Amino acid sequence: GVIKDINTDKPYIPGSSLKGKMRSLLEWNIGVVGIGKGDPFHSGLLKDLEGTQKTKALNLLKLFGNGQTDDKFREITRISVGDCFLSKETIDRGLKYSEAKHENSINRLTGKANPRQTERVPAGVKFDFDIRVKILEEDNEKELISMVEKGLKLVKDDYLGGCGSRGYGRVKINILEIEKL
């Protein structure tokens, strides 16, 4: 289904969804999935890593947070991902924001079709988003920004939302500007 703004009834992408997908794909990319036996990677698992993998995992925790409150790793979460709303261009062009998609699944034993309908955002609809990263004095700014860019690339190469194996949720991400404050 499509998540819609309660006030406008227009689709949007929750920032938490984009942030969670980025983190999940980065955990796979760094090679730390499974170390926590199904839980998200956390600081208690850093002891099992070394070298560049440990550095990347530490940056992941700095960016996205630790999730463990019972250890001494106390870092401020560096990344903030805002909700992604329809772009002015999409609204001005008068594009349709969502569509009903009809499909069938086939019962393998009986051969009977089971119709289903889902709602999706059609190709060409654009969303604007804002990601902010706090860079602290002890941080390696280049590594943190590079990890955010890598996370966005991984999302682009994968999908957002459900039914990705059917081709839904494919996104193109353009970084228009990086602004230092």
Side-chain angles (χ1 to χ4, degrees):
V2 174
I3 298 172
K4 294 184 179 179
D5 182 296
I6 193 168
N7 293 311
T8 66
D9 201 38
K10 293 177 181 170
Y12 77 102
I13 302 165
S16 58
S17 296
L18 179 56
K19 180 180 173 185
K21 185 70 173 193
M22 286 172 60
R23 180 186 178 132
S24 173
L25 292 172
L26 283 165
E27 286 185 11
W28 279 100
N29 183 260
I30 293 168
V32 295
V33 171
I35 295 174
K37 298 184 172 84
D39 291 331
F41 184 79
H42 57 82
S43 61
L45 303 170
L46 283 169
K47 66 185 180 322
D48 299 329
L49 305 177
E50 55 188 40
T52 58
Q53 185 183 37
K54 186 171 190 169
T55 300
K56 288 179 181 181
L58 185 58
N59 283 333
L60 178 96
L61 295 177
K62 284 180 178 183
L63 275 173
F64 293 93
N66 184 23
Q68 290 284 45
T69 57
D70 58 348
D71 66 15
K72 293 181 173 122
F73 185 89
R74 303 263 189 242
E75 292 281 347
I76 296 170
T77 300
R78 309 297 202 271
I79 194 168
S80 169
V81 181
D83 291 340
C84 311
F85 293 101
L86 289 172
S87 70
K88 183 177 181 329
E89 176 188 345
T90 291
I91 294 168
D92 289 349
R93 286 179 57 202
L95 296 177
K96 298 287 185 194
Y97 307 137
S98 65
E99 65 182 350
K101 173 75 167 81
H102 301 276
E103 302 175 336
N104 287 309
S105 64
I106 307 297
N107 182 306
R108 303 289 194 277
L109 297 176
T110 65
K112 183 179 176 186
N114 299 306
R116 63 178 178 236
Q117 178 182 328
T118 188
E119 185 180 20
R120 67 182 186 177
V121 174
V125 172
K126 294 182 180 182
F127 294 86
D128 291 329
F129 68 97
D130 181 56
I131 295 177
R132 297 173 185 213
V133 178
K134 295 177 192 83
I135 305 294
L136 304 182
E137 194 174 308
E138 68 271 14
D139 291 337
N140 182 321
E141 178 179 357
K142 183 179 176 189
E143 287 179 0
L144 292 181
I145 298 302
S146 176
M147 182 168 276
V148 172
E149 290 172 338
K150 179 68 172 184
L152 290 170
K153 180 185 181 318
L154 291 168
V155 171
K156 180 186 77 69
D157 292 343
D158 200 61
Y159 62 91
L160 268 177
C163 304
S165 64
R166 291 187 217 134
Y168 299 0
R170 292 187 181 161
V171 295
K172 179 179 177 183
I173 297 175
N174 294 320
I175 299 172
L176 299 180
E177 116 184 55
I178 296 178
E179 180 181 340
K180 286 187 178 186
L181 300 176

